[in-house]
Every structure is written in structure tokens, then in C-alpha cells.
Amino acid sequence: ERRYTAAASVQLEHQAPRVIADPDLDPQGSPAESDRFLQTQLDLVRSRSLAENVASELQDRTAAKTYEALGVEGETPAVRKESLISSLQTNVQAKLGLNTRIAQIEFTSLDPDVSAKVANAYADALAGLNLQTKISTAEKAKQYLTGQLSAAKARLETSEKRMLAYARAADLTATIAEQTKDGER
């Protein structure tokens, strides 16, 4: 029986958005960390969680054709879903070329259209997962910076109150007011 393999490409970017300009406060990854990131991305393609995401995407009006091309069987929807996830994980491959951040995701099935659809679904799912991770990182940074800003604002307000209290106690407010009335600074 003929089997068809389709490939989709995804660019993998390790760097998250830079939140703070100071490299000591917002360090960027080393080459070793970059290699580890790329390997993690390849492992994610073969993971059950990404297969579940792809399986969810494949639940459409062409599901019967997809199930047939993947050899999915089962009496109940739950059994068919497990069979689908297993077939997705078995038939997907991911690899990197030499000195590149472009991942090739390949999927093999009995139907060329299904292979293409699934390879693209994997590429979309991986890109979406990476985007969500970066959004989450940016949101955490925003929460942290908002907290820091609130704390700085509270310290500033406390300092201003102390300064005004000192100015009143030292009778500096009257002097300032008189100088302003005369036009002197």
C-alpha cells in the first residue's frame, strides 16, 4: 500500500522579547541553551500534548477521510481519539538541518492530502505553542514591572509626604510662598 509523506517548515526562535535593556537583568541564552531549546522543540513535536492539539484540529467534516488514511479504528469516540493520537505520534517526524533554526515536520499517511493537512496542523500547533509561551513570558514580565512600578510609586508618595511634613515643621512653606508672590525664585 502506498504511503505519502508531506513536510512543513517552522522557524524556531529561542529568544523571548527583551523586557529590560540591562543584559544582567534580562540575560539571553547561550549557544548550549539554544541547542537545548531546539532539541526540546523537536521533542515537543513528538509529544502527546502536541498530538492532542493536532487531534483537536482534525475534528472536522473530513474526519472520516483522515481516520481512514491514518488507520484509526474504535467503537467509541474516546477509543477513536486515543487511536488517532497514537497514530499521530507514530507517523510524525521532526528534524533540523545543519546550522539552521528551521524545523522540518514530516507526516506520513495513506493519503497525500491528509499527510499535508496533518503536517501543516503540526506546524501551526508548534508555532502557536511557541507564541503562547512568549506571550506568557511577556505577561509575567508586565506583572512584575507593574508591581515594581506600584512599589516605587508608593515609596515616592511616602517621601513626598515626609518632605511636606518637614517643610511645614521647618516653616519652609511660608518662605516659598512669599518668594513666589514677589516673583523671586
Side-chain angles (χ1 to χ4, degrees):
E1 87 191 76
R2 290 188 101 159
R3 299 185 64 74
Y4 299 90
T5 300
S9 299
V10 178
Q11 182 175 343
L12 303 173
E13 287 299 330
H14 176 58
Q15 294 182 343
R18 199 165 199 119
V19 177
I20 302 171
D22 186 342
D24 293 333
L25 297 175
D26 189 18
Q28 297 298 308
S30 68
E33 286 179 36
S34 182
D35 290 344
R36 193 170 26 251
F37 168 78
L38 294 172
Q39 184 58 51
T40 300
Q41 296 298 299
L42 297 181
D43 292 342
L44 277 171
V45 170
R46 294 180 287 266
S47 72
R48 179 176 175 86
S49 63
L50 207 62
E52 287 174 349
N53 288 351
V54 171
S56 295
E57 288 297 314
L58 297 176
Q59 303 293 324
D60 62 12
R61 67 188 189 296
T62 62
K65 178 182 177 184
T66 301
Y67 287 174
E68 184 180 330
L70 298 178
V72 172
E73 297 175 345
E75 296 295 320
T76 66
V79 171
R80 283 190 298 276
K81 183 174 183 181
E82 282 304 313
S83 178
L84 174 60
I85 291 168
S86 176
S87 182
L88 289 171
Q89 286 183 276
T90 301
N91 294 299
V92 71
Q93 294 297 317
K95 57 189 174 188
L96 285 173
L98 190 59
N99 296 323
T100 183
R101 293 183 175 279
I102 305 293
Q104 290 289 324
I105 300 172
E106 295 179 349
F107 192 82
T108 303
S109 78
L110 300 174
D111 183 295
D113 294 333
V114 170
S115 292
K117 182 167 108 173
V118 174
N120 287 330
Y122 263 102
D124 289 344
L126 185 61
L129 181 64
N130 282 322
L131 182 60
Q132 191 58 43
T133 300
K134 288 177 183 179
I135 289 170
S136 176
T137 300
E139 185 60 34
K140 287 177 186 173
K142 177 184 168 187
Q143 289 173 354
Y144 170 77
L145 292 174
T146 300
Q148 294 295 308
L149 186 59
S150 294
K153 182 180 176 184
R155 287 192 305 272
L156 177 62
E157 288 173 356
T158 300
S159 294
E160 286 177 340
K161 287 177 185 176
R162 287 183 182 161
M163 180 192 69
L164 286 173
Y166 174 78
R168 286 187 189 113
D171 200 30
L172 296 175
T173 54
T175 307
I176 292 170
E178 289 174 15
Q179 288 177 350
T180 304
K181 287 179 187 174
D182 296 342
E184 299 174 8
R185 293 188 177 255

